[in-house]
Amino acid sequence: MAVPPEPSSSVLVGRGRELGIIRSLLDRSAAEDAQTLLVSGDAGVGKTALVARACADRDGLSTGLSGTCLPLTSMSIPFLPIRSALRAVAEAGGDFREVTAKEGEFVLGFDAWLDRRCAERHVVLVIDDLQWADRSTLDAIMYVIAGPSSRRLAVVATLRSGEVGLRHPLQRWLADVRRLPRTTELALGPLDRAGTAAQLELLLGGSPHQSLVDDVHGHACGNPYFTRLMVAGLSAEARAAPDAFPGDLRSAVLQSSFRLSSATRRLATVLAVGGRPMHVDELAEVVGEDPGQVRIRLEVAVGSGTVVAVGDGAFWFHHPLNAEVLEAELAEEDRRDLHARFADAIERRSAGQAETDAAGAAAVAVAIADHRDAAKQTREAYEGALIAAGLVGGADGRAEQLRLLRRAVALRGELPDPEESVDTLLRRLRTVAADAGATADELDAVESLLARVDPEAQPLVAAELLVRRMHLRDIAGQAFIDVDEMREAVRLAEADTTSPQYALALAELAHAEVWAGHHDAPAHASAAIAIARGTDDLRALSHALAAGSMTAGVAEDAPTAQALAHEAVEAARAAGDWWAYVHAMMWEADAFRTWGSAAYSLLIRDRRVEMVERGGPHAYAAWMSAVEAQNWLIIGDWQECDARLRVVLGSDPGPLGDVMARLVAARAATLRGRQAEAESHLLRVEELMIDGSAYLGLEFDAVHAEVRFGAHDHDGAFRAAMNGARKSGAPPTRCEWLMPLAARALADRVQSEHDDGRTDGDALETLDALVARFPHVIRDIGPTTGIRGSLLHAFDAQYAAEQARARRHPGEAAAWIRAVDAFANAALPWEEAYSSWRAAEALLGRGHDRRAGAAMLRHGLALARRLEARPVERELGDLAERARIPVEEPSSAASAAPAALHGLTERERGVLDLVAVGRTYSEIARTLMISEKTVSTHVSHLLAKTGTANRVELAGLVHRVTDDGPANG
């Protein structure tokens, strides 16, 4: 089939930086500063789509000329892309007859025509696939680029970097153009994993499975065109790329190799089977040919763009997918034969070489094992996998060890007399999987070992496996921690009540009982600590101490919770048990810092960095990053939140890290008005978790409710909030949000009924029942701190304000003002912005206080704009328009009113300027480079000097003394 020279797609992701560069260049050229841009990159990387998107932004502002060079072989058409561009102008009704009046003066005529067009408006000339341009075209473009610098002209050319080698005729032209002024080069690389994931989400119409992202990115290596072809026809539920490459993909990948002779293509196929960059003599040994002839063919392949010369004189494919497709084209018998020959050749070479370093020996062993396996030499492949797995070591080698050990376990069943027992292999696989944080692999190994163990004959082994299975099922999203299963582990471990297994089982029983709300948890945790201290098992001690910290926190014994959690982290780190480390660290952060503060995120960040430096697995680092991102979002630092989420979602974070990150991403998206994105993240969570609401350690219900609000589904939001409120045992994470969200849903329902002219009292009756059952917000477990106290006070204030809104109470405005001030004090800016909207709405409506309402509106709008909280910003903007209130932020408002605000110090005026535009204490402190405590002191002085009661009244005073008339509020 025919393959387009440079495919383009409407899907364009991960190119924000590059788009910004091109847009800036086009803007400069529109300001009479002519520019030239050379965009290079591999075929299919998205050069054409990128340029087209940037140019589309100037529709109506610029004249666009676009032509494409073609790989013609039997004829040459002078000025082909320029003629094509001009033909499009003619079809649009333009006139370019003067350009072609005299064929010999085409270049001069075209340049003169451009002069006239540039005098009328900005012109963008785009030439695609410059590597196929004829000499006349290159000369014409060079002449245009060297023209007057004051023309409103941008020349944008794309070229395939992989097909412009040192001997390519374009090289000299490029060297000349680079010496000209106002020339910019932009090398377009492949998408990273996060970019591939974003592209797949758009292509498939849903959030892709991480396994699919890994599979596609591993094959396509971030090439958007190859990615699109690879997943054509797949659904969003697909977990892997197709086993066989689609025909369109094979044709696109092999396009450059179609130009090779059969002998050269055969050599390229042998290189593909080799699976790595190879030297001439290595290939010559396998194919049995003269090295000189092999080198000639390789250089031909390089010239075609199929193969490239890499470091140390080796050769490999321009894109790794070339190797995969070429090998797949081979007949099975030929493929096996070549793999066997490669394995033999590597063994001969390694036997004749001097002793190599450990890394070199491991690489040789892995290559031999892989070739033996591909050759279907079962015994040799099995033995080779075990040898290679033993040689591959360190954190960087864990994934390779896992792959080899999985292969060994699978091949063992095909052999009549293998040396290693199944149990030995499974234990080895489990250990490596645990070190790598490979949840699925470790869980499979643990399940297999449990199926093989006799609990009555080996009760301690069975007990330890039951505990670990509970952890792994939790991480994998299969089941939340279970009390009954841990009781069984304790029963089995009672075979030796002095053993670390008994301490571990008791600790995890206490862990499960805390979440279930059982009263025996403290006793079991204390017993576990006492027993663990009598053993030398740091892992058991860490779990026991973490359980003790949990029970102390529930009892609000903060000093004990802090001490035990800190010791638990240290024990887990010393033991190298990273699950225990993360588990203990979470309770340490909760005991020391309390979520809702920057210090909480910073403590988690420090622990995460410490773990990574010590070789901890990425899956656990992702888990910690997701928790860190969650807290950054809570306190309004969405930039830090986005940075952490990109790290998590840009890799394979494991099931739990993926779920936690997507819950945070869903909330961040809905708060900023990106509803489709939010719902996509929640769909992915529901795919990964059997029952998200059962996982009390997750914020599933609160996030679900907020996303339903984003969809204007107040009934769905109410059900989600109540689903979290009705749980037995410990409340779920972010339970403090649930009652305000439930009351908000009921208030929205009352408002909807009122707007429709209905007076149905069901919503108010439901609200009465809700308040009777939950007179205050639900309080999470953990010690009470000053921060937690302010958080609970703020949510109680919102809960009361939502009730007043539902009941249309005369004191609604005052209730919302209390909520605004409480959320400001608690440093919860998203809730402060929402409450500001409701307060402004109440003040400008039934509150009949235009000045206070205007001040509150401006305060909320400034906050919403800083947060990029688009839904709240739109509501406040609409409210301002209806109330005819100007919403521009005043500049130095306090400083502009010296007469009305006399007696203030210079520092107080600086603080007041920022208070007036809705800045939080932490923002004011950062701006003025003072502490938050100092800010609080200045605000107290300002309140006393101005006679105002709170920050909102203070901001309102500033706006009143600087407004010029009644229309200004």
Side-chain angles (χ1 to χ4, degrees), residues 114-134:
L114 275 178
D115 268 341
R116 288 188 288 276
R117 298 292 82 75
C118 291
E120 296 168 358
R121 67 187 316 201
H122 180 229
V123 177
V124 181
L125 171 62
V126 178
I127 305 295
D128 260 330
D129 286 319
L130 200 62
Q131 73 280 352
W132 293 325
D134 64 288

Side-chain angles (χ1 to χ4, degrees), residues 95-345:
D95 184 4
F96 65 97
R97 286 173 295 177
E98 67 270 30
V99 175
T100 56
K102 295 182 180 180
E103 187 68 28
E105 298 178 2
F106 182 88
V107 176
L108 297 177
F110 176 59
D111 188 65
W113 182 85
L114 275 178
D115 268 341
R116 288 188 288 276
R117 298 292 82 75
C118 291
E120 296 168 358
R121 67 187 316 201
H122 180 229
V123 177
V124 181
L125 171 62
V126 178
I127 305 295
D128 260 330
D129 286 319
L130 200 62
Q131 73 280 352
W132 293 325
D134 64 288
R135 185 72 247 182
S136 61
T137 296
L138 293 177
D139 288 343
I141 297 172
M142 175 71 76
Y143 189 83
V144 168
I145 292 172
S149 61
S150 60
R151 287 196 293 198
R152 291 187 292 172
L153 173 67
V155 178
V156 183
T158 71
L159 61 144
R160 296 188 181 184
S161 53
E163 299 185 18
V164 185
L166 291 176
R167 300 178 183 176
H168 195 285
L170 185 60
Q171 280 293 356
R172 180 176 176 180
W173 186 91
L174 289 172
D176 291 337
V177 168
R178 286 167 180 148
R179 287 194 290 268
L180 295 176
R182 304 181 309 283
T183 296
T184 304
E185 293 188 73
L186 177 61
L188 195 61
L191 296 176
D192 59 13
R193 186 183 181 280
T196 295
Q199 184 189 8
L200 289 176
E201 184 165 353
L202 289 171
L203 290 170
L204 302 178
S207 186
H209 285 271
Q210 292 301 306
S211 58
L212 177 65
V213 176
D214 285 338
D215 201 14
V216 172
H217 191 67
H219 288 299
C221 298
N223 184 294
Y225 181 52
F226 291 165
T227 294
R228 179 157 60 90
L229 294 180
M230 187 172 290
V231 301
L234 291 185
S235 69
E237 289 72 40
R239 294 179 179 270
D243 292 333
F245 293 124
D248 285 352
L249 177 61
R250 292 200 307 273
S251 296
V253 171
L254 295 177
Q255 185 182 31
S256 61
S257 65
F258 289 151
R259 300 193 290 270
L260 301 176
S261 68
S262 59
T264 303
R265 183 166 177 167
R266 171 66 179 176
L267 183 64
T269 301
V270 174
L271 176 62
V273 173
R276 61 179 175 82
M278 305 191 77
H279 293 85
V280 170
D281 55 347
E282 294 178 280
L283 282 170
E285 181 179 357
V286 173
V287 299
E289 293 184 5
D290 176 68
Q293 187 61 40
V294 169
R295 179 176 294 279
I296 291 172
R297 289 177 184 162
L298 284 172
E299 289 176 351
V300 171
V302 170
S304 74
T306 303
V307 172
V308 294
V310 295
D312 196 26
F315 293 86
W316 188 236
F317 292 93
H318 185 75
H319 194 285
L321 202 53
N322 284 102
E324 295 186 62
V325 174
L326 279 172
E327 183 175 359
E329 297 285 296
L330 271 176
E332 178 66 19
E333 185 176 349
D334 287 345
R335 185 162 52 248
R336 289 187 184 185
D337 175 64
L338 281 173
H339 278 293
R341 289 162 66 179
F342 268 112
D344 292 340

